[in-house]
Amino acid sequence: MSSADRVKWNLDSLRREALKLLKPKRVAHVLGVEEAAVRLARRYGEDEDLAAAAAMLHDCTKRLDKDEQLKLCRDYAIPVDSGELKSPQLLHAKTGAVIAQERFGMPECVCSAIRWHTTGRPNMTRLEKIIYLADMLEPNRDFPGVDELRALAFEDLDAAMAKALESSVKSLRRREMNVYKDTLEAYRWYSRISEQEE
Ligand SMILES: [Fe+2]
Ligand SMILES: [Fe+2]
């Protein structure tokens, strides 16, 4: 078996295992994120297999409820702050990263892409940005401005991050939901960068 075959086999088997962890309604989304992440990785010279693996696992704990999330946080000594207690759906990024590492043996770069896929953060790695954006613009997503975001993501990753974070902050504010501090910091960071580039 060539090494390309081995990677292919590993990715196929990882995909099978990852999909088993999802609610059936989330399968199309995760496959869409994989497709978008691989295309972005190819565009920016990132490792396509790492992007595929991070995409497959990015929502691997999403089906767990708040108590199960908190139990995982206790089991793995993951710190939980008051913002996350108010918005427990944020926790799947942290618990997903730990499961990717502990159960699937994923490297640090894949785990950190999972860790930051929900909120973003300042100064993200290229793979973190690719997974954040792929999650938002995968083919099943439909919201005002998604086509512009898709086009921008293939032109300029940082400008696309600024746009994506802006739309996520605005949508949270419109729904009178809490904007988590990491999201705000990421939004400020990427808005500043794209202003400087203009
Ligand atoms: Fe997610
Ligand atoms: Fe997702």
Side-chain angles (χ1 to χ4, degrees):
M1 192 189 278
S2 74
S3 65
D5 288 340
R6 199 156 50 235
V7 168
K8 177 106 181 60
W9 184 87
N10 284 341
L11 281 180
D12 287 344
S13 105
L14 179 64
R15 186 182 303 101
R16 256 195 313 276
E17 293 307 309
L19 295 184
K20 282 185 205 162
L21 300 175
L22 304 173
K23 283 188 180 165
K25 67 168 190 187
R26 205 167 299 281
V27 168
H29 164 65
V30 167
L31 293 175
V33 176
E34 182 189 351
E35 181 189 325
V38 167
R39 289 182 60 218
L40 285 168
R42 192 171 304 145
R43 160 70 180 84
Y44 289 106
E46 183 57 70
D47 186 299
E48 293 176 30
D49 290 345
L50 293 177
M56 285 174 206
L57 290 170
H58 83 282
D59 277 340
C60 69
T61 57
K62 180 102 177 183
R63 71 180 298 165
L64 304 182
D65 65 21
K66 182 179 178 182
D67 288 344
E68 291 168 319
Q69 294 288 355
L70 290 173
K71 179 173 182 332
L72 268 183
C73 291
R74 279 195 303 276
D75 290 350
Y76 289 102
I78 300 169
V80 177
D81 65 27
S82 58
E84 289 164 330
L85 283 175
K86 256 189 261 168
S87 312
Q89 71 279 8
L90 292 172
L91 288 172
H92 79 281
K94 282 182 168 177
T95 55
V98 165
I99 295 301
Q101 181 181 29
E102 297 289 323
R103 178 166 166 193
F104 294 93
M106 287 293 129
E108 165 58 24
C109 60
V110 167
C111 299
S112 79
I114 297 171
R115 166 67 185 88
W116 298 106
H117 85 268
T118 304
T119 58
R121 64 164 165 173
N123 202 14
M124 291 163 83
T125 67
R126 189 170 52 183
L127 186 58
E128 288 169 4
K129 289 185 265 193
I130 285 175
I131 297 302
Y132 182 94
L133 289 169
D135 189 30
M136 201 145 174
L137 54 70
E138 57 97 357
N140 301 290
R141 294 284 197 200
D142 186 16
F143 57 88
V146 70
D147 286 330
E148 290 84 342
L149 183 62
R150 285 185 180 120
L152 189 56
F154 282 87
E155 277 165 34
D156 182 334
L157 270 185
D158 287 341
M161 282 303 300
K163 188 99 208 137
L165 284 157
E166 180 186 18
S167 100
S168 134
V169 166
K170 280 187 178 161
S171 141
L172 287 166
R173 285 187 176 146
R174 219 173 16 247
R175 290 178 286 151
E176 293 179 7
M177 288 170 76
N178 192 36
V179 182
Y180 189 62
K181 63 176 173 43
D182 293 335
T183 305
L184 263 187
E185 283 172 16
Y187 173 45
R188 291 193 188 117
W189 176 276
Y190 285 101
S191 312
R192 225 174 7 246
I193 289 183
S194 61
E195 277 163 22
Q196 281 164 2
E197 281 174 356
E198 270 166 20

